[in-house]
Every structure is written in C-alpha cells, then in structure tokens.
Amino acid sequence: MKALRRAVITGTGMSLPDHVVTNQDLEKIVDTTDEWIITRTGIRERRQIQEGQTLLELSIPAAKQAIANANLKPEEIDLIIFASFTPDYQVPATACMLQDRLGCIHAAAFDLQAACTGFVYASSVAMQFIATGNCNHVLVIGGDVTTRILDFTDRNSCVLFGDGVGAAVFSPAQGDEGAFDSLLGAVGSGAEHIMIPVGGSARRPTEEAIRNREHYLKINGKEVFKFSTKIVGDIIDEMLTRNNLTLDDVALIIPHQANIRILESAAKRFNCPIEKFYVNIDRYGNTVAASIPMALHEALAEGRIKEGDIILLIGFGGGLTYGIMPIRWGKYTCPTC
Ligand SMILES: CC(C)(COP(=O)(O)OP(=O)(O)OC[C@H]1O[C@@H](n2cnc3c(N)ncnc32)[C@H](O)[C@@H]1OP(=O)(O)O)[C@@H](O)C(=O)NCCC(=O)NCCS
C-alpha cells in the first residue's frame, strides 16, 4: 500500500430537470398552502423530472461537467460512486450504466445508499481509496429523483422533495489542501422513520400493497426533524473539537437542505449568522443525495469559497444516517460556473 495522501475536489457539476413545481402548483393537488410550506420548511419551488426522463439521463451532464472541470478525460476516472436512494433499477447499479455512457472505461462503479447523507458517505469512501493509493481520480455523484417515489396525496411528504444531481471529482492533493477528516454514523433504531415499505425483497409489490400506497416514500417528519436538529450541532461540535478548530476557522458550511429551520437551529446553537450555512432549499426543496454537491457547486459559482478556506460538508437523513467532512479548499474555482 502506498503512503496515505489527502483527496481534494478538482471538479464539480450539477444538473436539474427543467420543469419547475411551485408551492402554488401543489396547492392545486393536495391540502396545503404556499404559506405553510414556506414558513415550516423554507421551500418555494422544486424541480421534477417528466415521464420518460431517468436519473441516469439527468446525471450525465453533471458528471461530464465535473470531469471537464477537473481537466480529465473520462478514461482517467478510476472509480464512480453513485449515491442515491432512487436508482433507476435495483439491478444494475446506476453507476455502471453511467460508466458506460461517460466512456469511463477504466473505472470501477458501484451505487451507495445512505439517503440524504449519501454524498458525504460516498465522498468519505472516495477519500479512503485515494488515501491508500488504490485510486487517483474518483467521480462521486449524488443524485435523486424522489418525485418518482412520492405519494402526491400525502401532504406530509410530497411538498418537501425535488429532483436533481450534483457531482464532484476527488483527486490526490499536492499539499495540505483537501479533506482532512470524516465522521460517519447511523442510528438504525430510527430506520422506520424514512421508508418505502414495499418494493424491496422483503415485501413484493402486490396489488393490495399498491392499493394501500405502500410502494411510496413514508416519512415521520417530526422524528426526523428532532434527530436532525440535534445531530447537526453534535457533529459540528465533535469535528471542530477533534481538529482543534472553532467555528470562526470555518468559512462556509455546506449542509444537506432538508428544512431551513434545522439550519437556523444549528446557527442559533453556535451563535453564528445563518449566512455561515449555504442555503438554496427555497429553489430546489430537499434533493436528498444531490443537495450537498449542488449547494457546493452553486457556492463556488457565487465565489463564496476560495483557496485555503475550510468548509464543512454535513449530511443527515434516512437510515437514520449522518456524516460530516471538513475540507481545506484547494485551487479549484469552477471554470464553467
Ligand atoms: C415535515 C416537517 C416540515 C413538518 O413540520 P412540523 O413543524 O414538524 O409540522 P408537524 O409535523 O408538527 O405538523 C403540523 C401540522 O401541519 C400539518 N401539515 C403537514 N404537512 C402539511 C402541509 N404540506 N401543508 C399543510 N399542513 C401540513 C400536519 O398535518 C399537522 O397538522 P395537525 O397539527 O392538525 O396534526 C418537518 O417535521 C420536517 O422538515 N421534518 C424532516 C423532513 C424529513 O424527513 N426529510 C427527509 C430526510 S432529511
């Protein structure tokens, strides 16, 4: 095994479906209001794929953009990790189909399922492969088309989610830039709080199950909210403490975008302005595994991250899972943003 080395982000990309669904659009199909959605979640609109579109198709432009921004050819990618809880198929992995469509002929490819923490889990796996010298360039995708698994008669869940894909290329660092730690965790006792009861190998999609709408995503929003509000603060605390840092050393937090109130609560706990947290939930809703890489890409486009900055990627959600990764930013500034 080669010496341990740091992984740095050298390319990013994102893609969204064109179709916009506003809160007013949802008012027409479910018992909700624009005012409730904005005040309880911070969401104004989200994107939705249309009939005939797939997660694979949506992910291709984001992946190509990330590889081009990293100044790499597709055949230089050693590994593709696709984080998603809405893959096109249970088999084959979306990562394998993407490998083919991108022409990444030398890349191994697999899917990873850690729901809304998927991108942080996948980035942490990429970090280990690069640290050991097993891989040089790893393409990490976070992508979900959750509108495909939503029950549009259930107001508790259908207003919260949108579709999108974000991508990042991790490569070996030259100096002290890059991801310098990662903390992943799970509280499996809360697994049933975010669940699709039917359609996996445990329960087949019988006519009765489908009639009962059990093939759709079910969430226990209250419980997930309680978990998320506490865990975000706890993992920021732990990460800062074990690296002898304070929040003043952190330039920007790129959190999973589930609910603006979760981020406001974390800002309050640390007595810091909400501006320390990058927020775009108003435009996209909760895009699950895509939310962090999309937010990262947009933060770069807005010039909010510069060389030497320390940023924190923070994920939390289904599983229940959580994860945090601190990165000392390198030279990458996103030429196509
Ligand atoms: C879902 C969530 C926005 C609900 O916010 P909340 O303040 O906790 O709201 P509550 O669950 O207390 O519900 C309050 C009321 O609003 C109602 N309500 C729920 N969804 C509604 C909607 N879309 N429109 C209008 N009213 C709604 C509820 O029925 C409830 O009514 P009741 O008091 O008469 O029973 C919030 O809990 C949340 O964001 N949870 C995490 C979401 C999640 O799981 N994300 C995925 C993983 S990260």
Side-chain angles (χ1 to χ4, degrees):
M1 205 166 3
K2 291 182 192 165
L4 293 183
R5 44 188 197 162
R6 279 195 187 178
V8 65
I9 292 179
T10 53
T12 55
M14 68 180 267
S15 42
L16 290 160
D18 293 333
H19 184 65
V20 175
V21 178
T22 63
N23 293 345
Q24 287 80 4
D25 292 329
L26 291 171
E27 282 178 354
K28 293 176 195 143
I29 57 172
V30 73
D31 181 17
T32 191
T33 61
D34 176 46
E35 202 247 331
W36 189 94
I37 301 172
I38 290 175
T39 54
R40 304 313 291 159
T41 72
I43 302 167
R44 290 178 188 276
E45 60 185 44
R46 71 288 288 143
R47 302 296 181 95
Q48 183 175 18
I49 60 164
Q50 299 298 287
E51 233 17 75
Q53 294 183 302
T54 63
L55 178 62
L56 173 63
E57 296 297 337
L58 190 61
S59 65
I60 291 169
K64 282 186 171 169
Q65 189 183 17
I67 294 170
N69 281 342
N71 287 318
L72 293 172
K73 297 189 196 74
E75 53 271 28
E76 292 177 278
I77 299 293
D78 301 308
L79 174 64
I80 299 172
I81 311 173
F82 201 128
S84 181
F85 84 155
T86 53
D88 284 342
Y89 307 101
Q90 289 217 355
V91 183
T94 312
C96 292
M97 298 188 290
L98 184 64
Q99 184 248 24
D100 174 55
R101 294 290 294 273
L102 296 175
C104 294
I105 50 173
H106 299 303
F110 64 89
D111 286 1
L112 181 152
Q113 205 276 74
C116 301
T117 319
F119 186 78
V120 180
Y121 264 68
S123 297
S124 186
V125 175
M127 183 184 169
Q128 318 304 320
F129 270 99
I130 289 171
T132 58
N134 193 292
C135 290
N136 280 324
H137 305 297
V138 183
L139 173 64
V140 177
I141 309 276
D144 273 295
V145 289
T146 310
T147 63
R148 277 289 158 80
I149 56 162
L150 288 178
D151 180 351
F152 280 94
T153 66
D154 176 11
R155 69 176 184 175
N156 292 297
S157 58
C158 77
V159 303
L160 302 176
F161 298 91
D163 303 333
V165 175
V169 172
F170 285 80
S171 302
Q174 305 303 318
D176 75 342
E177 77 276 22
F180 55 90
D181 199 352
S182 84
L183 182 166
L184 305 178
V187 183
S189 56
E192 79 278 9
H193 294 318
I194 301 184
M195 187 171 198
I196 305 174
V198 154
S201 59
R203 291 188 58 205
R204 288 180 299 120
T206 59
E207 274 180 33
E208 190 193 358
I210 289 174
R211 221 175 15 253
N212 293 335
R213 311 181 82 77
E214 293 180 277
H215 58 306
Y216 289 123
L217 181 70
K218 313 280 178 207
I219 65 163
N220 183 345
K222 246 191 195 87
E223 286 303 318
V224 181
F225 188 86
K226 250 194 285 173
F227 159 77
S228 306
T229 306
K230 180 164 181 339
I231 203 71
V232 170
D234 288 355
I235 58 180
I236 291 175
D237 242 351
E238 182 168 348
M239 190 49 79
L240 292 177
T241 304
R242 76 191 201 184
N243 285 283
N244 289 321
L245 296 169
T246 71
L247 209 52
D248 289 339
D249 299 312
V250 174
L252 189 64
I253 296 171
I254 309 278
H256 170 53
Q257 313 278 314
N259 189 318
I260 186 69
R261 290 187 291 133
I262 293 171
L263 307 182
E264 286 168 348
S265 153
K268 196 167 163 207
R269 172 164 164 181
F270 291 99
N271 199 20
C272 75
I274 186 72
E275 287 72 28
K276 193 112 186 170
F277 293 76
Y278 187 82
V279 175
N280 62 7
I281 191 173
D282 51 322
R283 284 172 288 140
Y284 307 129
N286 180 346
T287 54
V288 188
S291 73
I292 294 171
M294 285 192 350
L296 177 63
H297 187 73
E298 291 203 326
L300 284 161
E302 291 167 20
R304 290 186 64 182
I305 303 172
K306 51 184 196 320
E307 189 176 354
D309 278 354
I310 293 176
I311 65 163
L312 301 177
L313 310 184
I314 299 181
F316 51 89
L320 300 169
T321 52
Y322 57 87
I324 180 166
M325 173 182 274
I327 300 175
R328 184 179 294 282
W329 202 252
K331 290 195 184 322
Y332 173 67
T333 52
C334 187
T336 62
C337 282

